[in-house]
Amino acid sequence: ATFTEMGDLVGQARASINLGIALSRRGDDARSQEVYESGLALSRRIHSPDLTGLAALNLGVLQMKRGAFAEADASLGEAMEGFAVLHNEPHRLAALYNQANLALETNDAERAARLYGEMCIRDSAWRAWWVKPASARRHWCGSCNRKCASGVA
């Protein structure tokens, strides 16, 4: 059975993101963009900040590659927002890195330097947090649906 047949909207969103990646690697950027946009719309509909962030991040990178810089900036901004909701620092750093690359692509060296600098600060802070013992960490807990210290994210 497929995700569609099972009514699994999360599976459908994940599959759309993965299909978009495969299509982009194959060089079918137009179809990849359509699939990312479909996955993004579905991720928004099911209120999944992490999937929304992943779809928006991949879409933003593709838009940057295609020269659609304003759209890429909006997509990467949405990715940052989605990852911030869940405190997903590794993905947030990836979005920030791509925002900095976008700034370079648009000849905004001042913004690029600021964003790369922010990325280095966030990365250092995240790494300092990550080396704490698991019992001292706070994370978003899927089992109790709130921030807690019951385990590792």
Side-chain angles (χ1 to χ4, degrees):
T2 66
F3 292 125
T4 303
E5 291 168 348
M6 295 185 318
D8 182 349
L9 300 179
V10 171
Q12 289 176 47
R14 286 188 184 285
S16 292
I17 294 165
N18 289 334
L19 178 58
I21 292 167
L23 290 166
S24 180
R25 287 185 181 169
R26 197 173 78 182
D28 192 350
D29 290 343
R31 180 77 178 114
S32 176
Q33 182 163 336
E34 290 173 13
V35 172
Y36 282 143
E37 288 170 348
S38 173
L40 181 57
L42 183 55
S43 298
R44 288 175 184 147
R45 193 173 111 214
I46 62 175
H47 305 287
S48 174
D50 206 35
L51 290 176
T52 298
L54 286 172
L57 173 59
N58 284 289
L59 178 60
V61 170
L62 179 64
Q63 290 165 327
M64 181 172 31
K65 175 182 167 185
R66 297 183 82 191
F69 298 130
E71 293 87 350
D73 193 43
S75 293
L76 294 171
E78 184 173 8
M80 286 285 290
E81 290 171 14
F83 298 140
V85 168
L86 298 177
H87 305 284
N88 186 333
E89 282 304 304
H91 286 148
R92 208 165 153 197
L93 288 168
L96 188 58
Y97 175 79
N98 281 289
Q99 282 182 320
N101 287 346
L102 176 61
L104 282 180
E105 288 289 326
T106 58
N107 297 314
D108 189 347
E110 185 177 318
R111 181 174 185 231
R114 182 178 52 76
L115 291 171
Y116 284 127
E118 182 180 339
M119 189 184 72
C120 291
I121 291 167
R122 285 181 187 267
D123 183 53
S124 296
W126 178 77
R127 287 176 192 276
W129 175 86
W130 188 248
V131 297
K132 289 180 184 178
S135 61
R137 295 186 211 144
R138 295 186 61 77
H139 72 284
W140 189 261
C141 180
S143 61
C144 63
N145 202 28
R146 63 181 173 84
K147 278 188 94 164
C148 72
S150 64
V152 179

